[in-house]
Amino acid sequence: MSTQVGKFEILTEGTLPSGLSTANNFELCPSMDLVSFQLNSNTIWIYRLNKEKVWDLELEYDDDKDESIAQLCWRPDGKLFVVISNLGKITLFDTGTGKQVISFYINESYMSNHVGVCTWSSTTKPIGNNDKKSYYKELFDIHLKNSLVKLSDQNIAAIDDEFSSSNKSSSLLDLLLICSFDGLTSLVFSGVFTLEDYQLPIENGNVIKIVSSKDLSSHFILSRTNNSNKFQIVRLYIDFVRKYGSKLPLVSHSCSTLIGLLNGLQKHIEQMKINHKPFADYTLRIIDLLKGEIDENSKNQQNNDPVYDLYDLLLTGSLSNATKTWLTDYLGDRGIKRWVKLGKKHFEGSRQIIFCSIIPALQHTIIYLTELQGLSKWEETSKLLGLQQESIDSAIEITGSIMKSCYKYMMLLNEEQKNFESVMDWLGGIIQEVTEDEKPTKPIETADIIDFLLSISNKSAMKHKDEEIKKLYTSLDIELTQVFGDVKCSMRKLMSSRIIHTFDSKLAEISNCDFSINDNLVTLTLCSKREIETLTFNTSTETVTTEDVHKINNSTGNIQARLMGPSNQIVVLVPHDTNATLTLLELAKERSGKFSNLDDGANIIDRVELTDSQDGTIATFLTNNPIRRSCAVLDRNKKHYKVLEY
């Protein structure tokens, strides 16, 4: 694909390994030299502008429910991005590492009300600068988290680092807004904490675009009535942004991190179970082999507990034929080594998880809960934020109980490991004596061996040592869910929405649209095969200030247009038979209501011709980054791409 360039500057052009199944989620990162592509229903590619593939992300979705990628959205600073499925599964990724931070479903509502669009916004100025100065403000400047042990789990640490209240950006609000096609709306604060299921006043229509005001207190949602050219602009007010002030980032950061910590605790507790299972299974299986051997050598096959046979061997030194066969034919040196290896993985692995992951997470949990506890004790903030002191106090108490249970569990692990190692030395010595006729040199720790044999007899105790931790975790989960629910309930009371404008498009067949906001002006572009309609709406007066239609000649495909955000410009891609043109256009500043011809040169700032050099490489799809004044085009086959600066 050869190119003639005017003021446009080519940053890169490349060819993907294979054609994409869709041009959806073809996006430029707002702050980094990255571009995203959607390969298929569950795979995202991220490329650098030097044509290097950075991340190849395959999402785990439910094929039976036809789950697939709906939206990819970058956080404005580019450090994180989110992939959202049509069924409402949010998967948050760290852009720097490509690793998953957290994954969760918003709720079951999106199983039937599929996700349509989303937008991710952040405030550029700290919230609450106008808050009244408080003599107690210094209390919030003491950051105990700085003295805590760093979290070993990279995913939880990512949430903690990005959204902790000790971060310099702690007073900045971060909001991901997600809408289903029929207007079911969820607000995700700090990437995790979700206020779900607010229904917008949309009837018989589909949500197609969202834009947010700078302070994130108002959001404008564009919907299109089914099978018609009628459009509506809905305004969503979230008044708690102003009323909460600087407390909103603090609460949303804390709640998001607590959710991440809770998610991590569940994963670590489950990992301990996974580490323990092979050891427990092997222990029971090898003892069952001894029982089978005893049964074959015994006329009375009732109450032939193999542990009693091992007791007899320990106390009398009498080695029965069944036990001898079991030691030499079934266990042996190889069996001992395998048993020891599995035991080591269980004991050391569980101890490491508790000490390096669970306990630090619990310490962080207590600190974040203590922050919320402080707010809940002030009458003015507790009522405003919906924080219930009783629930928070209970959550702190349960967290402390989990920590005590973890220390107790580590003591049990140490004791059990000591007993297990004594049994391995004892059995190893007997095998050596039987096979090599050499007396064992290590002393027999009778008490330790008896304790381990008792634990084998009590199979339920052996399998459920960590039940106390699991039960306490469940209690903490329930209590924190109540805390989050109280906060969400308070937020919902300060939300409202209404339709502020309805209009009919002048275009016959609309192929795509774009939507942006600059102060009080919302600008909309609608495209068809040969025309672009632009409309500017003043959100203060709720009136249309500008409305124009631009005609384009010789277009053979659907026109693509993207707004330049705060500026009064749009980038327009027009496919032709053998080439495509990319135009930077200045929008009219006053309402005319007239039709104009884009090819006449009026209001054109710059234009570049993208010439076809081989079949199928005509630029057909367009995306842009208004902040960095760059755009990217993708060819008809969704394989060749080009990134330009303008």
Side-chain angles (χ1 to χ4, degrees):
M1 187 161 61
S2 62
T3 310
Q4 298 174 359
V5 182
K7 295 180 181 178
F8 282 90
E9 179 184 352
I10 300 174
L11 298 179
T12 189
E13 54 184 313
T15 301
L16 300 172
S18 62
L20 308 172
S21 64
T22 176
N24 294 339
N25 300 310
F26 170 46
E27 301 285 348
L28 289 167
C29 177
S31 64
M32 304 181 191
D33 292 332
L34 300 171
V35 58
S36 64
F37 304 93
Q38 182 178 334
L39 175 63
N40 51 41
S41 63
N42 71 325
T43 305
I44 292 289
W45 286 345
I46 307 289
Y47 275 75
R48 285 198 180 97
L49 296 194
N50 63 3
K51 297 179 281 190
E52 174 192 4
K53 184 194 288 185
V54 187
W55 312 122
D56 186 345
L57 307 172
E58 188 170 340
L59 286 300
E60 295 182 2
Y61 288 152
D62 190 337
D63 293 334
D64 294 336
K65 296 181 180 178
D66 294 326
E67 188 174 17
S68 60
I69 294 170
Q71 292 284 321
L72 179 146
C73 199
W74 299 90
R75 198 171 74 172
D77 64 3
K79 293 181 179 180
L80 297 170
F81 65 93
V82 67
V83 180
I84 309 171
S85 79
N86 59 328
L87 302 184
K89 183 177 184 179
I90 290 179
T91 308
L92 194 67
F93 291 95
D94 184 328
T95 305
T97 63
K99 292 185 177 180
Q100 178 178 306
V101 176
I102 196 169
S103 182
F104 60 95
Y105 281 95
I106 301 173
N107 60 22
E108 295 182 356
S109 301
Y110 289 90
M111 296 292 178
S112 55
N113 305 76
H114 288 182
V115 168
V117 294
C118 67
T119 184
W120 202 340
S121 307
S122 299
T123 53
T124 55
K125 295 181 180 179
I127 288 181
N129 278 347
N130 296 325
D131 286 359
K132 294 180 180 179
K133 291 185 178 179
S134 169
Y135 293 107
Y136 304 103
K137 183 180 181 300
E138 293 181 0
L139 291 175
F140 293 100
D141 293 331
I142 303 173
H143 301 300
L144 297 178
K145 291 186 289 295
N146 294 339
S147 62
L148 291 175
V149 176
K150 292 294 182 182
L151 296 172
S152 61
D153 188 295
Q154 291 183 350
N155 294 340
I156 304 174
I159 297 174
D160 187 54
D161 291 341
E162 287 292 336
F163 304 123
S164 70
S165 59
S166 61
N167 193 285
K168 292 180 180 179
S169 62
S170 61
S171 56
L172 298 180
L173 184 62
D174 178 88
L175 173 60
L176 172 65
L177 194 149
I178 302 168
C179 278
S180 69
F181 288 113
D182 60 357
L184 189 66
T185 304
S186 294
L187 313 178
V188 185
F189 296 93
S190 302
V192 181
F193 181 56
T194 306
L195 175 60
E196 56 279 299
D197 287 0
Y198 180 87
Q199 182 62 54
L200 297 171
I202 294 173
E203 296 181 2
N204 301 320
N206 286 330
V207 172
I208 51 179
K209 288 287 180 178
I210 310 169
V211 293
S212 302
S213 62
K214 285 185 178 180
D215 66 357
L216 305 188
S217 63
S218 288
H219 306 269
F220 301 90
I221 296 92
L222 179 69
S223 69
R224 181 182 183 182
T225 304
N226 295 336
N227 303 318
S228 76
N229 276 12
K230 184 180 290 294
F231 290 82
Q232 292 180 335
I233 298 177
V234 176
R235 186 168 189 166
L236 170 64
Y237 301 87
I238 49 175
D239 294 337
F240 58 80
V241 170
R242 291 194 182 97
K243 290 193 175 183
Y244 286 14
S246 60
K247 304 300 185 295
L248 179 56
L250 174 62
V251 171
S252 61
H253 296 167
S254 296
C255 290
S256 287
T257 307
L258 284 168
I259 292 170
L261 291 165
L262 202 61
N263 184 277
L265 284 171
Q266 183 183 34
K267 184 179 69 174
H268 293 314
I269 292 170
E270 184 63 29
Q271 187 59 50
M272 285 200 302
K273 181 180 178 182
I274 292 171
N275 288 347
H276 178 239
K277 190 176 186 304
F279 171 69
D281 288 349
Y282 184 80
T283 300
L284 296 176
R285 187 167 64 249
I286 203 71
I287 295 299
D288 283 343
L289 289 174
L290 174 57
K291 183 178 186 306
E293 193 62 32
I294 293 171
D295 288 343
E296 287 187 9
N297 288 269
S298 175
K299 294 180 180 179
N300 179 17
Q301 295 188 9
Q302 295 181 351
N303 300 322
N304 288 333
D305 189 337
V307 174
Y308 291 157
D309 207 62
L310 292 175
Y311 272 132
D312 188 53
L313 173 60
L314 175 65
L315 299 176
T316 67
S318 175
L319 183 63
S320 68
N321 291 332
T323 306
K324 182 177 181 180
T325 302
W326 173 72
L327 287 170
T328 56
D329 295 356
Y330 294 105
L331 188 59
D333 288 335
R334 291 180 63 183
I336 291 286
K337 289 178 180 178
R338 185 181 179 189
W339 207 349
V340 169
K341 183 178 180 181
L342 292 172
K344 185 177 181 181
K345 182 178 180 181
H346 162 51
F347 296 119
E348 294 185 2
S350 296
R351 200 157 38 233
Q352 183 178 15
I353 288 172
I354 291 174
F355 189 75
C356 298
S357 298
I358 293 181
I359 289 178
L362 292 170
Q363 291 171 340
H364 282 250
T365 299
I366 289 175
I367 294 300
Y368 280 103
L369 283 171
T370 302
E371 285 185 337
L372 296 181
Q373 184 187 50
L375 291 172
S376 72
K377 289 183 177 180
W378 293 354
E379 185 176 352
E380 58 180 82
T381 54
S382 64
K383 289 183 178 179
L384 179 66
L385 303 174
L387 294 169
Q388 300 296 324
Q389 184 180 344
E390 296 79 7
S391 297
I392 298 172
D393 290 348
S394 177
I396 291 174
E397 183 179 351
I398 294 170
T399 305
S401 297
I402 297 175
M403 195 174 297
K404 292 176 183 177
S405 183
C406 285
Y407 285 118
K408 177 182 175 183
Y409 186 65
M410 281 200 296
M411 292 175 62
L412 291 174
L413 283 174
N414 293 338
E415 184 68 22
E416 185 182 351
Q417 184 175 16
K418 178 172 70 73
N419 297 340
F420 171 70
E421 289 173 350
S422 296
V423 171
M424 293 301 101
D425 290 341
W426 172 55
L427 293 178
I430 295 173
I431 292 172
Q432 182 183 15
E433 184 177 4
V434 171
T435 58
E436 301 176 15
D437 198 24
E438 292 185 12
K439 292 286 185 180
T441 57
K442 292 185 178 180
I444 299 174
E445 303 292 343
T446 305
D448 295 346
I449 297 170
I450 290 174
D451 287 342
F452 187 78
L453 294 178
L454 285 172
S455 71
I456 295 176
S457 295
N458 189 356
K459 294 182 180 181
S460 61
M462 183 177 184
K463 289 185 176 181
H464 302 291
K465 291 179 305 194
D466 55 353
E467 278 302 311
E468 183 179 353
I469 295 176
K470 293 176 185 176
K471 289 179 180 178
L472 287 170
Y473 167 81
T474 301
S475 298
L476 178 62
D477 186 16
I478 293 171
E479 206 65 61
L480 285 180
T481 299
Q482 180 63 48
V483 172
F484 302 147
D486 293 337
V487 175
K488 293 176 187 180
C489 183
S490 176
M491 288 178 168
R492 283 194 182 91
K493 292 177 182 178
L494 296 172
M495 291 178 66
S496 60
S497 60
R498 64 185 180 90
I499 298 170
I500 60 172
H501 185 60
T502 302
F503 66 96
D504 292 311
S505 171
K506 297 181 175 66
L507 305 188
E509 295 182 5
I510 299 169
S511 56
N512 66 85
C513 72
D514 199 14
F515 204 33
S516 72
I517 186 170
N518 179 25
D519 294 329
N520 294 325
L521 297 179
V522 170
T523 304
L524 166 69
T525 64
L526 300 171
C527 297
S528 67
K529 193 170 183 178
R530 297 186 182 277
E531 295 173 334
I532 302 173
E533 182 178 6
T534 62
L535 181 145
T536 303
F537 181 80
N538 189 308
T539 59
S540 296
T541 62
E542 298 189 359
T543 58
V544 174
T545 61
T546 306
E547 188 175 6
D548 282 300
V549 176
H550 304 273
K551 292 184 178 180
I552 288 108
N553 297 327
N554 304 317
S555 173
T556 59
N558 289 325
I559 298 167
Q560 302 266 312
R562 293 292 180 269
L563 291 157
M564 287 293 294
S567 70
N568 202 39
Q569 300 171 359
I570 60 173
V571 178
V572 182
L573 176 67
V574 182
H576 303 295
D577 285 327
T578 59
N579 66 359
T581 56
L582 194 62
T583 303
L584 184 59
L585 175 70
E586 184 82 25
L587 293 175
K589 295 183 179 180
E590 296 181 0
R591 180 172 183 172
S592 66
K594 298 180 180 179
F595 287 81
S596 62
N597 197 319
L598 188 63
D599 294 324
D600 291 341
N603 301 328
I604 292 177
I605 300 172
D606 195 18
R607 174 175 287 171
V608 58
E609 182 179 320
L610 308 173
T611 306
D612 175 32
S613 60
Q614 54 180 304
D615 184 47
T617 62
I618 298 172
T620 306
F621 304 98
L622 172 70
T623 188
N624 77 319
N625 181 354
I627 299 172
R628 304 187 71 181
R629 293 186 66 84
S630 61
C631 64
V633 295
L634 185 65
D635 80 307
R636 184 179 300 160
N637 292 335
K638 299 182 280 291
K639 188 173 182 180
H640 305 276
Y641 67 95
K642 186 186 297 290
V643 182
L644 303 96
E645 212 168 39
Y646 49 88

